[in-house]
PDB file of all heavy atoms in Angstrom:
ATOM      1  N   GLY A 145     -20.507  12.053   2.649  1.00 86.00           N
ATOM      2  CA  GLY A 145     -19.621  13.100   3.134  1.00 86.00           C
ATOM      3  C   GLY A 145     -19.863  13.408   4.591  1.00 86.00           C
ATOM      4  O   GLY A 145     -18.897  13.621   5.359  1.00 86.00           O
ATOM      5  N   VAL A 146     -21.112  13.435   5.008  1.00 88.00           N
ATOM      6  CA  VAL A 146     -21.432  13.731   6.417  1.00 88.00           C
ATOM      7  C   VAL A 146     -20.853  12.615   7.326  1.00 88.00           C
ATOM      8  O   VAL A 146     -20.275  12.876   8.381  1.00 88.00           O
ATOM      9  CB  VAL A 146     -22.988  13.853   6.606  1.00 88.00           C
ATOM     10  CG1 VAL A 146     -23.342  13.891   8.083  1.00 88.00           C
ATOM     11  CG2 VAL A 146     -23.481  15.128   5.925  1.00 88.00           C
ATOM     12  N   ILE A 147     -21.064  11.363   6.887  1.00 83.00           N
ATOM     13  CA  ILE A 147     -20.553  10.239   7.686  1.00 83.00           C
ATOM     14  C   ILE A 147     -19.046  10.318   7.780  1.00 83.00           C
ATOM     15  O   ILE A 147     -18.470  10.091   8.852  1.00 83.00           O
ATOM     16  CB  ILE A 147     -21.000   8.897   7.044  1.00 83.00           C
ATOM     17  CG1 ILE A 147     -22.521   8.722   7.105  1.00 83.00           C
ATOM     18  CG2 ILE A 147     -20.314   7.728   7.762  1.00 83.00           C
ATOM     19  CD1 ILE A 147     -23.018   7.525   6.450  1.00 83.00           C
ATOM     20  N   LEU A 148     -18.358  10.634   6.652  1.00 83.00           N
ATOM     21  CA  LEU A 148     -16.921  10.676   6.663  1.00 83.00           C
ATOM     22  C   LEU A 148     -16.406  11.856   7.493  1.00 83.00           C
ATOM     23  O   LEU A 148     -15.361  11.733   8.154  1.00 83.00           O
ATOM     24  CB  LEU A 148     -16.398  10.825   5.210  1.00 83.00           C
ATOM     25  CG  LEU A 148     -16.592   9.607   4.332  1.00 83.00           C
ATOM     26  CD1 LEU A 148     -16.129   9.852   2.910  1.00 83.00           C
ATOM     27  CD2 LEU A 148     -15.806   8.401   4.897  1.00 83.00           C
ATOM     28  N   ILE A 149     -17.141  12.960   7.481  1.00 88.00           N
ATOM     29  CA  ILE A 149     -16.736  14.104   8.342  1.00 88.00           C
ATOM     30  C   ILE A 149     -16.841  13.733   9.825  1.00 88.00           C
ATOM     31  O   ILE A 149     -15.964  14.077  10.622  1.00 88.00           O
ATOM     32  CB  ILE A 149     -17.583  15.345   8.005  1.00 88.00           C
ATOM     33  CG1 ILE A 149     -17.258  15.910   6.639  1.00 88.00           C
ATOM     34  CG2 ILE A 149     -17.448  16.408   9.105  1.00 88.00           C
ATOM     35  CD1 ILE A 149     -18.160  17.019   6.121  1.00 88.00           C
ATOM     36  N   ILE A 150     -17.921  13.073  10.178  1.00 85.00           N
ATOM     37  CA  ILE A 150     -18.085  12.625  11.562  1.00 85.00           C
ATOM     38  C   ILE A 150     -16.943  11.704  11.961  1.00 85.00           C
ATOM     39  O   ILE A 150     -16.327  11.824  13.037  1.00 85.00           O
ATOM     40  CB  ILE A 150     -19.409  11.901  11.760  1.00 85.00           C
ATOM     41  CG1 ILE A 150     -20.570  12.885  11.574  1.00 85.00           C
ATOM     42  CG2 ILE A 150     -19.497  11.264  13.139  1.00 85.00           C
ATOM     43  CD1 ILE A 150     -21.952  12.267  11.594  1.00 85.00           C
ATOM     44  N   GLY A 151     -16.596  10.766  11.051  1.00 81.00           N
ATOM     45  CA  GLY A 151     -15.480   9.826  11.338  1.00 81.00           C
ATOM     46  C   GLY A 151     -14.162  10.585  11.409  1.00 81.00           C
ATOM     47  O   GLY A 151     -13.306  10.272  12.270  1.00 81.00           O
ATOM     48  N   ALA A 152     -13.958  11.571  10.542  1.00 84.00           N
ATOM     49  CA  ALA A 152     -12.698  12.328  10.555  1.00 84.00           C
ATOM     50  C   ALA A 152     -12.579  13.147  11.839  1.00 84.00           C
ATOM     51  O   ALA A 152     -11.491  13.230  12.439  1.00 84.00           O
ATOM     52  CB  ALA A 152     -12.653  13.276   9.344  1.00 84.00           C
ATOM     53  N   VAL A 153     -13.690  13.735  12.295  1.00 86.00           N
ATOM     54  CA  VAL A 153     -13.640  14.488  13.564  1.00 86.00           C
ATOM     55  C   VAL A 153     -13.326  13.526  14.729  1.00 86.00           C
ATOM     56  O   VAL A 153     -12.543  13.846  15.607  1.00 86.00           O
ATOM     57  CB  VAL A 153     -15.000  15.173  13.838  1.00 86.00           C
ATOM     58  CG1 VAL A 153     -15.061  15.784  15.189  1.00 86.00           C
ATOM     59  CG2 VAL A 153     -15.214  16.279  12.776  1.00 86.00           C
ATOM     60  N   ALA A 154     -13.945  12.340  14.717  1.00 81.00           N
ATOM     61  CA  ALA A 154     -13.664  11.367  15.744  1.00 81.00           C
ATOM     62  C   ALA A 154     -12.197  10.940  15.732  1.00 81.00           C
ATOM     63  O   ALA A 154     -11.561  10.823  16.783  1.00 81.00           O
ATOM     64  CB  ALA A 154     -14.561  10.145  15.572  1.00 81.00           C
ATOM     65  N   LEU A 155     -11.642  10.757  14.542  1.00 81.00           N
ATOM     66  CA  LEU A 155     -10.253  10.355  14.408  1.00 81.00           C
ATOM     67  C   LEU A 155      -9.304  11.465  14.871  1.00 81.00           C
ATOM     68  O   LEU A 155      -8.257  11.185  15.498  1.00 81.00           O
ATOM     69  CB  LEU A 155      -9.884  10.002  12.936  1.00 81.00           C
ATOM     70  CG  LEU A 155     -10.387   8.650  12.441  1.00 81.00           C
ATOM     71  CD1 LEU A 155     -10.192   8.533  10.924  1.00 81.00           C
ATOM     72  CD2 LEU A 155      -9.637   7.545  13.120  1.00 81.00           C
ATOM     73  N   SER A 156      -9.650  12.732  14.612  1.00 83.00           N
ATOM     74  CA  SER A 156      -8.776  13.819  15.000  1.00 83.00           C
ATOM     75  C   SER A 156      -8.885  14.181  16.470  1.00 83.00           C
ATOM     76  O   SER A 156      -7.961  14.704  17.040  1.00 83.00           O
ATOM     77  CB  SER A 156      -9.101  15.065  14.119  1.00 83.00           C
ATOM     78  OG  SER A 156     -10.443  15.475  14.342  1.00 83.00           O
ATOM     79  N   THR A 157     -10.026  13.899  17.113  1.00 83.00           N
ATOM     80  CA  THR A 157     -10.222  14.271  18.483  1.00 83.00           C
ATOM     81  C   THR A 157     -10.016  13.130  19.486  1.00 83.00           C
ATOM     82  O   THR A 157      -9.409  13.312  20.505  1.00 83.00           O
ATOM     83  CB  THR A 157     -11.661  14.871  18.695  1.00 83.00           C
ATOM     84  OG1 THR A 157     -12.610  13.897  18.254  1.00 83.00           O
ATOM     85  CG2 THR A 157     -11.846  16.140  17.915  1.00 83.00           C
ATOM     86  N   LYS A 158     -10.525  11.958  19.067  1.00 77.00           N
ATOM     87  CA  LYS A 158     -10.406  10.804  20.025  1.00 77.00           C
ATOM     88  C   LYS A 158      -9.298   9.875  19.645  1.00 77.00           C
ATOM     89  O   LYS A 158      -8.784   9.124  20.498  1.00 77.00           O
ATOM     90  CB  LYS A 158     -11.731  10.041  20.035  1.00 77.00           C
ATOM     91  CG  LYS A 158     -12.916  10.912  20.480  1.00 77.00           C
ATOM     92  CD  LYS A 158     -14.208  10.091  20.470  1.00 77.00           C
ATOM     93  CE  LYS A 158     -14.188   9.029  21.527  1.00 77.00           C
ATOM     94  NZ  LYS A 158     -15.490   8.328  21.641  1.00 77.00           N
ATOM     95  N   GLU A 159      -8.912   9.855  18.357  1.00 74.00           N
ATOM     96  CA  GLU A 159      -7.898   8.975  17.855  1.00 74.00           C
ATOM     97  C   GLU A 159      -8.372   7.503  18.016  1.00 74.00           C
ATOM     98  O   GLU A 159      -9.362   7.189  18.624  1.00 74.00           O
ATOM     99  CB  GLU A 159      -6.546   9.205  18.498  1.00 74.00           C
ATOM    100  CG  GLU A 159      -6.014  10.592  18.287  1.00 74.00           C
ATOM    101  CD  GLU A 159      -4.633  10.801  18.902  1.00 74.00           C
ATOM    102  OE1 GLU A 159      -4.254   9.950  19.724  1.00 74.00           O
ATOM    103  OE2 GLU A 159      -3.968  11.771  18.579  1.00 74.00           O
ATOM    104  N   LEU A 160      -7.541   6.635  17.388  1.00 78.00           N
ATOM    105  CA  LEU A 160      -7.878   5.193  17.458  1.00 78.00           C
ATOM    106  C   LEU A 160      -7.314   4.579  18.757  1.00 78.00           C
ATOM    107  O   LEU A 160      -6.220   4.934  19.205  1.00 78.00           O
ATOM    108  CB  LEU A 160      -7.276   4.460  16.259  1.00 78.00           C
ATOM    109  CG  LEU A 160      -7.950   4.742  14.902  1.00 78.00           C
ATOM    110  CD1 LEU A 160      -7.168   4.093  13.779  1.00 78.00           C
ATOM    111  CD2 LEU A 160      -9.379   4.189  14.908  1.00 78.00           C
ATOM    112  N   ASN A 161      -8.066   3.654  19.297  1.00 77.00           N
ATOM    113  CA  ASN A 161      -7.680   2.953  20.488  1.00 77.00           C
ATOM    114  C   ASN A 161      -6.878   1.706  20.081  1.00 77.00           C
ATOM    115  O   ASN A 161      -7.425   0.615  20.005  1.00 77.00           O
ATOM    116  CB  ASN A 161      -8.909   2.586  21.336  1.00 77.00           C
ATOM    117  CG  ASN A 161      -8.558   1.761  22.572  1.00 77.00           C
ATOM    118  OD1 ASN A 161      -7.462   1.878  23.074  1.00 77.00           O
ATOM    119  ND2 ASN A 161      -9.481   0.986  23.049  1.00 77.00           N
ATOM    120  N   PHE A 162      -5.590   1.907  19.849  1.00 76.00           N
ATOM    121  CA  PHE A 162      -4.749   0.793  19.422  1.00 76.00           C
ATOM    122  C   PHE A 162      -4.486  -0.178  20.586  1.00 76.00           C
ATOM    123  O   PHE A 162      -4.168   0.262  21.720  1.00 76.00           O
ATOM    124  CB  PHE A 162      -3.393   1.281  18.881  1.00 76.00           C
ATOM    125  CG  PHE A 162      -3.517   1.944  17.553  1.00 76.00           C
ATOM    126  CD1 PHE A 162      -3.457   3.308  17.393  1.00 76.00           C
ATOM    127  CD2 PHE A 162      -3.682   1.173  16.396  1.00 76.00           C
ATOM    128  CE1 PHE A 162      -3.580   3.924  16.162  1.00 76.00           C
ATOM    129  CE2 PHE A 162      -3.803   1.766  15.151  1.00 76.00           C
ATOM    130  CZ  PHE A 162      -3.742   3.146  15.034  1.00 76.00           C
ATOM    131  N   GLY A 163      -4.628  -1.452  20.305  1.00 72.00           N
ATOM    132  CA  GLY A 163      -4.319  -2.502  21.284  1.00 72.00           C
ATOM    133  C   GLY A 163      -2.808  -2.651  21.463  1.00 72.00           C
ATOM    134  O   GLY A 163      -1.992  -2.033  20.720  1.00 72.00           O
ATOM    135  N   ILE A 164      -2.442  -3.481  22.362  1.00 70.00           N
ATOM    136  CA  ILE A 164      -1.028  -3.643  22.647  1.00 70.00           C
ATOM    137  C   ILE A 164      -0.320  -4.379  21.493  1.00 70.00           C
ATOM    138  O   ILE A 164       0.923  -4.444  21.456  1.00 70.00           O
ATOM    139  CB  ILE A 164      -0.778  -4.386  23.960  1.00 70.00           C
ATOM    140  CG1 ILE A 164      -1.316  -5.806  23.895  1.00 70.00           C
ATOM    141  CG2 ILE A 164      -1.297  -3.615  25.127  1.00 70.00           C
ATOM    142  CD1 ILE A 164      -0.875  -6.695  25.062  1.00 70.00           C
TER     143      ILE A 164
END
Side-chain angles (χ1 to χ4, degrees):
V146 170
I147 295 176
L148 292 175
I149 288 173
I150 293 174
V153 171
L155 283 170
S156 61
T157 56
K158 300 180 68 174
E159 300 183 345
L160 288 172
N161 177 24
F162 287 104
I164 63 170

